Amino acid sequence: METNIATRAAEAAGGQSALARAIGCSPQAVQRMCATGRIPAERVLQIESVTGISRHELRPDLYPNDAGAAVGSVKASKEKQPKPEGFVERRRPAAQSHAGIRTGRRATDATTREQIVAIGRAAKGEFPE
């Protein structure tokens, strides 16, 4: 049976507990990595320095072997993508976003409709007499 990369990293570090101590996490977290075969992105560089296993082997999805491809993919992701046909961008009204109201929630969750209306009016400068 072939072992996954997380298990190989634990063996290279001297066991799951040793790897956990070396990277500063719980042994349960290392056991989860070994069970799933997936290493969290925030642990890749730490595990690489402890075990000597390259970051590309640990997470090829995050660290491709070809450095040129990585630069190109980052550049492409920063370019503005066209919006799909019929796309409508929705933004919160300024009065609601600054008043701390979470839009999209039911009024019964946190505030009543009357409170929302009163805050909106206050933001516009309309105060009850």
Side-chain angles (χ1 to χ4, degrees):
M1 184 173 132
E2 191 174 313
T3 59
N4 62 40
I5 191 66
T7 305
R8 281 186 37 223
E11 289 171 358
Q16 292 182 4
S17 296
L19 180 59
R21 280 190 299 275
I23 64 174
C25 71
S26 68
Q28 291 84 356
V30 174
Q31 192 280 329
R32 188 178 321 112
M33 289 182 227
C34 293
T36 62
R38 185 116 173 122
I39 296 173
E42 60 270 9
R43 299 288 184 193
V44 172
L45 299 178
Q46 295 170 328
I47 293 174
E48 179 187 36
S49 67
V50 169
T51 64
I53 298 174
S54 74
R55 61 187 78 174
H56 170 70
E57 287 183 74
L58 295 170
R59 286 292 297 268
D61 58 326
L62 297 177
Y63 300 99
N65 211 10
D66 184 14
V71 172
S73 65
V74 169
K75 186 177 180 182
S77 68
K78 287 186 178 181
E79 293 175 7
K80 195 161 193 155
Q81 300 295 323
K83 304 267 191 244
E85 188 175 329
F87 177 78
V88 177
E89 189 169 340
R90 302 181 192 274
R91 294 181 184 235
R92 259 185 218 173
Q96 289 183 353
S97 64
H98 294 298
I101 296 175
R102 298 169 115 190
T103 58
R105 296 180 66 192
R106 297 176 73 166
T108 56
D109 285 350
T111 58
T112 65
R113 178 165 168 60
E114 291 80 22
Q115 289 172 323
I116 294 171
V117 171
I119 292 171
R121 286 184 180 151
K124 292 178 186 176
E126 301 172 8
F127 297 102
E129 302 203 11

